[in-house]
Amino acid sequence: MKSCIFLFVLGVCIESYAQPKSTQFYLDKWSSNQLLETNTAKDLSFLTEAEKQAIMFVNLARMYPKEFASKVVANYYGNENYGDYLKGSSYHASLLKDLNKAQPVGKLVFDQAAYESAQCFALEQGKTGKTGHDRIQCKSYFYGECVSYGMETGLDIAMHWLVDHDVPSLGHREICLSARYTKIGLSKAPHKSYGVCTVADFVF
């Protein structure tokens, strides 16, 4: 959010931007039971906190769509790396609309084979610096796949897919919220071009 502040003595106009809210701000809006129920990968020591939270936030959107719209989406417009890039976004507005009319669907549980598929591809893309879904040597084990670039936290990764900004097909959003999928494997890795990438593979 741009604003001009005129200092009394100097009369200088400076430009400021609203600071993005922390992940904790959004976590505090949910009950401990809701967080426990949706954090289906919480006991896996080989996953990072960001990977676990990406799964958790996707599950919160699936299981509590209307609450997710009001507690998360309505307050989320970007992050420290990219600023308020969702201000005025029609994709942000359409996610609110979709969630407010959506019915709850089941949570995603962790799947080891899908994780290995996602991990291999995240590492492969990270080294090549490429984007997309074309694999070179990695074998695939999924029926739906989402890839995020440049997003560090679990919240930002999940919101990247759910908002699907500038993706007309809304394919990532549809996968994340689809009742057809019941399992997920998710892996985050360094990326040559975007700093970091995260791959999520979904299975029935």
Side-chain angles (χ1 to χ4, degrees), residues 86-96 163 165-166 170 173:
L86 294 175
K87 280 287 187 183
S89 167
S90 62
Y91 293 86
H92 183 272
S94 73
L95 176 59
L96 283 170
V163 175
H165 185 66
D166 283 343
L170 298 179
R173 183 189 302 178

Side-chain angles (χ1 to χ4, degrees), residues 18-75:
Q19 290 295 314
K21 296 175 175 63
S22 67
T23 296
Q24 193 60 47
F25 169 86
Y26 297 97
L27 293 176
D28 288 344
K29 292 180 175 293
W30 301 91
S31 72
S32 57
N33 285 338
Q34 286 174 316
L35 295 177
L36 185 65
E37 183 181 26
T38 54
N39 194 3
T40 54
K42 64 183 182 301
D43 296 325
L44 301 175
S45 60
F46 54 88
L47 292 185
T48 67
E49 195 62 28
E51 290 168 335
K52 294 175 185 179
Q53 288 192 354
I55 296 172
M56 182 184 69
F57 277 109
V58 170
N59 275 335
L60 285 168
R62 289 169 64 89
M63 298 182 70
Y64 305 100
K66 293 178 178 62
E67 284 187 69
F68 194 86
S70 62
K71 293 179 177 180
V72 180
V73 181
N75 297 288

Side-chain angles (χ1 to χ4, degrees), residues 168-183:
S169 70
L170 298 179
H172 305 96
R173 183 189 302 178
E174 291 179 4
I175 290 172
C176 286
L177 298 178
S178 173
R180 293 184 303 162
Y181 301 111
T182 61
K183 300 175 183 179

